[in-house]
Amino acid sequence: MTQNTTGQPRAAVLGGGVMGEALVSALLTAGWDMDDVAVTERSAIRANELSSRYGVRSADPNPKTVRSAGLVLIAVKPQVVPELLAEIADSVRPGTLIVSVAAGIPLSVYEQALPEGTPVVRVMPNTPALVGKGASAIAPGSHATDEHLDLAERALAATGLVVRVQEKDLDAVTAISGSGPAYAFYLIDAMAEAGVLLGLGRDLATRLAVATVEGSATLAAQTGDHPVVLRERVSSPGGTTVAGVAQLDAHGVRAGVVAAARAAHDRSRELGEAARAPRD
């Protein structure tokens, strides 16, 4: 594995979009030296922006960047992945770990395109990773060892929670944590809209909704108590919360969330199957 003098693998982030930038930031926070991190991006303006902001290298093309790295993080759009793999395949050195955050692309696609024996780890992140509050699941390919998973976890640690799963579980992870932020934003918007309807100003209603969801999530994370237990602590017999939750049940909110997650799961599976299909 290509390393610096301290034994830390040099890292390359391919793709300088929002998630690519989050990965660059995470690597630096996790202890990588800026001289040992490179980022590639099709837009020269964006590449220069990232280089200036973080002090990382950005001038080299993908093959050259990959050739000098022991850890390669792929953060391009899913439809670009096959083209990217064809471009870098001959530059991936033995032992180089490939970590991909591209949604929906199965491990088999990477393993077939890259040199035999290349270790690959697939990641399903979510957007709160951008503020260090993400939830990412990592799944190992057939050549990835516990040591490779340890390295992937270290690289992603600053993005938030990182858990290990098997690839078969990533569709379910996508449905819950991958798409989950959208459900949370939907709820925040609904709560804020309710505040407006009840006479609050929109800015105040939104601030209250955001703070309430953020605080509730923090409380759940810190106590570790079951959500039902936490909900019951807020619910006095015959009180306002009981009346409100009864309406959520009456309007099928729980069933709607479950249905949303199932739809996201099924769509994730469809996208994965499409990625596996042979291309003309």
Side-chain angles (χ1 to χ4, degrees), residues 12-247:
V13 178
L14 310 185
V18 173
M19 190 56 69
E21 180 174 359
L23 292 174
V24 170
S25 177
L27 287 166
L28 297 177
T29 302
W32 265 261
D33 190 280
M34 65 180 65
D35 292 333
D36 294 316
V37 177
V39 61
T40 66
E41 168 58 34
R42 287 182 174 181
S43 167
I45 295 176
R46 175 63 172 167
N48 290 334
E49 178 185 340
L50 293 174
S51 180
S52 298
R53 182 175 300 164
Y54 297 99
V56 298
R57 295 175 289 114
S58 67
D60 294 330
N62 286 328
K64 184 176 181 180
T65 302
V66 167
R67 201 173 295 123
S68 63
L71 170 65
V72 176
L73 299 105
I74 296 178
V76 299
K77 295 184 183 301
Q79 60 267 30
V80 180
V81 168
E83 175 188 343
L84 176 66
L85 294 178
E87 181 185 7
I88 68 172
D90 292 338
S91 300
V92 176
R93 295 185 177 186
T96 296
L97 173 61
I98 306 296
V99 176
S100 177
V101 300
I105 307 296
L107 288 161
S108 59
V109 170
Y110 298 93
E111 293 179 339
Q112 290 169 11
L114 297 172
E116 176 65 29
T118 298
V120 182
V121 171
R122 182 179 163 194
V123 183
M124 182 63 238
N126 65 7
T127 54
L130 304 176
V131 293
K133 295 293 184 179
S136 299
I138 61 175
S142 57
H143 305 294
T145 65
D146 284 343
E147 180 183 355
H148 293 124
L149 289 172
D150 289 342
L151 177 57
E153 286 180 338
R154 199 158 73 245
L156 295 167
T159 66
L161 174 69
V162 181
V163 298
R164 298 184 184 187
V165 301
Q166 296 300 308
E167 186 176 28
K168 66 180 180 62
D169 295 322
L170 283 179
D171 293 324
V173 170
T174 299
I176 303 304
S177 62
S179 299
Y183 313 153
F185 299 142
Y186 189 100
L187 177 60
I188 289 171
D189 181 55
M191 291 171 64
E193 185 65 22
V196 172
L197 290 173
L198 295 172
L200 296 178
R202 184 168 298 278
D203 180 65
L204 175 59
T206 300
R207 289 167 55 202
L208 288 171
V210 169
T212 299
V213 172
E214 179 184 26
S216 300
T218 301
L219 183 62
Q222 290 184 357
T223 65
D225 291 337
H226 194 283
V228 170
V229 174
L230 294 171
R231 191 185 73 208
E232 289 177 347
R233 288 176 185 163
V234 187
S235 306
S236 301
T240 60
T241 304
V242 169
V245 171
Q247 286 301 308

